mmCIF file of all heavy atoms in Angstrom:
data_model
loop_
_atom_site.group_PDB
_atom_site.id
_atom_site.type_symbol
_atom_site.label_atom_id
_atom_site.label_comp_id
_atom_site.label_asym_id
_atom_site.label_seq_id
_atom_site.Cartn_x
_atom_site.Cartn_y
_atom_site.Cartn_z
ATOM 1 N N VAL W 18 0.616 -3.867 5.436
ATOM 2 C CA VAL W 18 -0.719 -4.181 5.925
ATOM 3 C C VAL W 18 -1.182 -3.060 6.825
ATOM 4 O O VAL W 18 -0.403 -2.262 7.318
ATOM 5 C CB VAL W 18 -0.708 -5.518 6.725
ATOM 6 C CG1 VAL W 18 -0.343 -6.673 5.829
ATOM 7 C CG2 VAL W 18 0.244 -5.432 7.896
ATOM 8 N N ALA W 19 -2.469 -2.994 7.024
ATOM 9 C CA ALA W 19 -3.026 -1.933 7.854
ATOM 10 C C ALA W 19 -2.634 -2.138 9.310
ATOM 11 O O ALA W 19 -2.624 -3.251 9.817
ATOM 12 C CB ALA W 19 -4.544 -1.899 7.720
ATOM 13 N N ALA W 20 -2.314 -1.053 9.982
ATOM 14 C CA ALA W 20 -1.962 -1.120 11.401
ATOM 15 C C ALA W 20 -3.159 -0.756 12.248
ATOM 16 O O ALA W 20 -3.943 0.112 11.887
ATOM 17 C CB ALA W 20 -0.806 -0.159 11.694
ATOM 18 N N ALA W 21 -3.300 -1.438 13.384
ATOM 19 C CA ALA W 21 -4.381 -1.101 14.308
ATOM 20 C C ALA W 21 -4.154 0.288 14.861
ATOM 21 O O ALA W 21 -3.036 0.766 14.954
ATOM 22 C CB ALA W 21 -4.411 -2.121 15.445
ATOM 23 N N SER W 22 -5.232 0.951 15.247
ATOM 24 C CA SER W 22 -5.115 2.321 15.743
ATOM 25 C C SER W 22 -4.265 2.408 17.005
ATOM 26 O O SER W 22 -3.728 3.461 17.329
ATOM 27 C CB SER W 22 -6.502 2.904 16.018
ATOM 28 O OG SER W 22 -7.171 2.121 16.991
ATOM 29 N N THR W 23 -4.128 1.292 17.727
ATOM 30 C CA THR W 23 -3.288 1.296 18.935
ATOM 31 C C THR W 23 -1.809 1.211 18.608
ATOM 32 O O THR W 23 -0.975 1.254 19.493
ATOM 33 C CB THR W 23 -3.666 0.118 19.850
ATOM 34 O OG1 THR W 23 -3.544 -1.104 19.110
ATOM 35 C CG2 THR W 23 -5.060 0.274 20.395
ATOM 36 N N ASP W 24 -1.469 1.087 17.301
ATOM 37 C CA ASP W 24 -0.079 0.974 16.898
ATOM 38 C C ASP W 24 0.522 2.314 16.485
ATOM 39 O O ASP W 24 1.681 2.382 16.096
ATOM 40 C CB ASP W 24 0.071 -0.021 15.741
ATOM 41 C CG ASP W 24 -0.210 -1.453 16.177
ATOM 42 O OD1 ASP W 24 -0.136 -1.717 17.386
ATOM 43 O OD2 ASP W 24 -0.521 -2.289 15.321
ATOM 44 N N TYR W 25 -0.251 3.367 16.551
ATOM 45 C CA TYR W 25 0.282 4.698 16.273
ATOM 46 C C TYR W 25 -0.470 5.724 17.108
ATOM 47 O O TYR W 25 -1.655 5.583 17.370
ATOM 48 C CB TYR W 25 0.195 5.039 14.780
ATOM 49 C CG TYR W 25 -1.182 4.923 14.163
ATOM 50 C CD1 TYR W 25 -2.005 6.039 14.042
ATOM 51 C CD2 TYR W 25 -1.645 3.705 13.690
ATOM 52 C CE1 TYR W 25 -3.260 5.935 13.467
ATOM 53 C CE2 TYR W 25 -2.900 3.579 13.111
ATOM 54 C CZ TYR W 25 -3.712 4.705 12.999
ATOM 55 O OH TYR W 25 -4.955 4.598 12.442
ATOM 56 N N PRO W 26 0.227 6.772 17.578
ATOM 57 C CA PRO W 26 -0.396 7.750 18.474
ATOM 58 C C PRO W 26 -1.430 8.604 17.756
ATOM 59 O O PRO W 26 -1.375 8.781 16.531
ATOM 60 C CB PRO W 26 0.789 8.616 18.934
ATOM 61 C CG PRO W 26 2.020 7.873 18.540
ATOM 62 C CD PRO W 26 1.648 7.067 17.355
ATOM 63 N N SER W 27 -2.330 9.172 18.532
ATOM 64 C CA SER W 27 -3.304 10.102 17.986
ATOM 65 C C SER W 27 -2.579 11.283 17.361
ATOM 66 O O SER W 27 -1.638 11.831 17.931
ATOM 67 C CB SER W 27 -4.231 10.596 19.109
ATOM 68 O OG SER W 27 -5.093 11.602 18.646
ATOM 69 N N GLY W 28 -2.994 11.667 16.150
ATOM 70 C CA GLY W 28 -2.358 12.785 15.475
ATOM 71 C C GLY W 28 -1.197 12.369 14.593
ATOM 72 O O GLY W 28 -0.641 13.201 13.877
ATOM 73 N N TYR W 29 -0.803 11.082 14.630
ATOM 74 C CA TYR W 29 0.264 10.563 13.776
ATOM 75 C C TYR W 29 -0.357 9.724 12.667
ATOM 76 O O TYR W 29 -1.495 9.261 12.781
ATOM 77 C CB TYR W 29 1.226 9.696 14.586
ATOM 78 C CG TYR W 29 2.191 10.485 15.449
ATOM 79 C CD1 TYR W 29 1.728 11.281 16.492
ATOM 80 C CD2 TYR W 29 3.557 10.425 15.223
ATOM 81 C CE1 TYR W 29 2.606 12.008 17.293
ATOM 82 C CE2 TYR W 29 4.457 11.143 16.018
ATOM 83 C CZ TYR W 29 3.968 11.931 17.049
ATOM 84 O OH TYR W 29 4.833 12.649 17.818
ATOM 85 N N THR W 30 0.398 9.508 11.603
ATOM 86 C CA THR W 30 -0.079 8.697 10.489
ATOM 87 C C THR W 30 0.825 7.483 10.313
ATOM 88 O O THR W 30 2.049 7.628 10.213
ATOM 89 C CB THR W 30 -0.096 9.506 9.183
ATOM 90 O OG1 THR W 30 -0.934 10.645 9.353
ATOM 91 C CG2 THR W 30 -0.615 8.667 8.031
ATOM 92 N N LYS W 31 0.228 6.301 10.298
ATOM 93 C CA LYS W 31 1.010 5.077 10.155
ATOM 94 C C LYS W 31 1.832 5.140 8.871
ATOM 95 O O LYS W 31 1.387 5.661 7.856
ATOM 96 C CB LYS W 31 0.095 3.869 10.149
ATOM 97 C CG LYS W 31 -0.892 3.842 8.972
ATOM 98 C CD LYS W 31 -1.891 2.726 9.105
ATOM 99 C CE LYS W 31 -2.863 2.735 7.920
ATOM 100 N NZ LYS W 31 -3.927 1.749 8.074
ATOM 101 N N ALA W 48 7.143 8.113 15.567
ATOM 102 C CA ALA W 48 6.843 7.227 16.687
ATOM 103 C C ALA W 48 7.035 5.772 16.268
ATOM 104 O O ALA W 48 6.742 5.395 15.132
ATOM 105 C CB ALA W 48 5.416 7.442 17.171
ATOM 106 N N LEU W 49 7.525 4.967 17.182
ATOM 107 C CA LEU W 49 7.603 3.524 16.987
ATOM 108 C C LEU W 49 6.766 2.889 18.078
ATOM 109 O O LEU W 49 6.919 3.224 19.258
ATOM 110 C CB LEU W 49 9.051 3.040 17.111
ATOM 111 C CG LEU W 49 9.257 1.508 17.095
ATOM 112 C CD1 LEU W 49 9.050 0.967 15.679
ATOM 113 C CD2 LEU W 49 10.650 1.144 17.596
ATOM 114 N N GLY W 50 5.859 1.988 17.699
ATOM 115 C CA GLY W 50 5.066 1.392 18.762
ATOM 116 C C GLY W 50 4.112 0.318 18.306
ATOM 117 O O GLY W 50 3.970 0.014 17.122
ATOM 118 N N LYS W 51 3.452 -0.245 19.293
ATOM 119 C CA LYS W 51 2.383 -1.198 19.073
ATOM 120 C C LYS W 51 1.603 -1.343 20.369
ATOM 121 O O LYS W 51 2.115 -1.033 21.460
ATOM 122 C CB LYS W 51 2.917 -2.555 18.627
ATOM 123 C CG LYS W 51 3.808 -3.271 19.637
ATOM 124 C CD LYS W 51 4.261 -4.631 19.110
ATOM 125 C CE LYS W 51 5.164 -5.348 20.106
ATOM 126 N NZ LYS W 51 5.563 -6.682 19.627
ATOM 127 N N SER W 52 0.379 -1.738 20.254
ATOM 128 C CA SER W 52 -0.487 -2.004 21.412
ATOM 129 C C SER W 52 -0.547 -0.845 22.398
ATOM 130 O O SER W 52 -0.565 -1.031 23.607
ATOM 131 C CB SER W 52 -0.025 -3.279 22.135
ATOM 132 O OG SER W 52 -0.008 -4.373 21.249
ATOM 133 N N GLY W 53 -0.521 0.378 21.867
ATOM 134 C CA GLY W 53 -0.688 1.556 22.707
ATOM 135 C C GLY W 53 0.568 2.027 23.422
ATOM 136 O O GLY W 53 0.515 2.949 24.236
ATOM 137 N N SER W 54 1.728 1.433 23.142
ATOM 138 C CA SER W 54 2.986 1.836 23.775
ATOM 139 C C SER W 54 3.911 2.391 22.693
ATOM 140 O O SER W 54 4.057 1.785 21.619
ATOM 141 C CB SER W 54 3.646 0.646 24.467
ATOM 142 O OG SER W 54 4.859 1.013 25.054
ATOM 143 N N PHE W 55 4.541 3.550 22.959
ATOM 144 C CA PHE W 55 5.323 4.225 21.921
ATOM 145 C C PHE W 55 6.637 4.788 22.442
ATOM 146 O O PHE W 55 6.759 5.147 23.610
ATOM 147 C CB PHE W 55 4.513 5.382 21.311
ATOM 148 C CG PHE W 55 3.150 4.974 20.834
ATOM 149 C CD1 PHE W 55 2.029 5.248 21.602
ATOM 150 C CD2 PHE W 55 2.986 4.274 19.647
ATOM 151 C CE1 PHE W 55 0.773 4.849 21.188
ATOM 152 C CE2 PHE W 55 1.724 3.872 19.227
ATOM 153 C CZ PHE W 55 0.614 4.155 20.003
ATOM 154 N N TYR W 57 9.768 7.628 20.734
ATOM 155 C CA TYR W 57 9.801 8.678 19.729
ATOM 156 C C TYR W 57 11.227 9.096 19.393
ATOM 157 O O TYR W 57 12.145 8.960 20.188
ATOM 158 C CB TYR W 57 9.046 9.916 20.233
ATOM 159 C CG TYR W 57 7.587 9.678 20.558
ATOM 160 C CD1 TYR W 57 7.209 9.081 21.752
ATOM 161 C CD2 TYR W 57 6.589 10.057 19.670
ATOM 162 C CE1 TYR W 57 5.879 8.867 22.065
ATOM 163 C CE2 TYR W 57 5.262 9.851 19.967
ATOM 164 C CZ TYR W 57 4.902 9.250 21.170
ATOM 165 O OH TYR W 57 3.584 9.045 21.467
ATOM 166 N N TRP W 81 5.239 -0.523 14.566
ATOM 167 C CA TRP W 81 5.065 0.340 13.400
ATOM 168 C C TRP W 81 5.740 1.686 13.612
ATOM 169 O O TRP W 81 5.765 2.206 14.723
ATOM 170 C CB TRP W 81 3.579 0.586 13.143
ATOM 171 C CG TRP W 81 2.864 -0.579 12.506
ATOM 172 C CD1 TRP W 81 2.451 -1.727 13.110
ATOM 173 C CD2 TRP W 81 2.485 -0.680 11.139
ATOM 174 N NE1 TRP W 81 1.834 -2.552 12.201
ATOM 175 C CE2 TRP W 81 1.832 -1.929 10.980
ATOM 176 C CE3 TRP W 81 2.613 0.150 10.028
ATOM 177 C CZ2 TRP W 81 1.318 -2.357 9.761
ATOM 178 C CZ3 TRP W 81 2.102 -0.266 8.809
ATOM 179 C CH2 TRP W 81 1.468 -1.514 8.681
ATOM 180 N N SER W 83 5.308 5.626 12.657
ATOM 181 C CA SER W 83 4.293 6.559 12.197
ATOM 182 C C SER W 83 4.852 7.973 12.263
ATOM 183 O O SER W 83 5.726 8.274 13.089
ATOM 184 C CB SER W 83 3.024 6.428 13.039
ATOM 185 O OG SER W 83 3.312 6.552 14.416
#
Side-chain angles (χ1 to χ4, degrees):
V18 296
S22 60
T23 57
D24 291 340
Y25 55 96
S27 174
Y29 283 64
T30 302
K31 63 187 180 185
L49 173 73
K51 63 179 179 178
S52 303
S54 179
F55 308 101
Y57 300 79
W81 284 77
S83 53

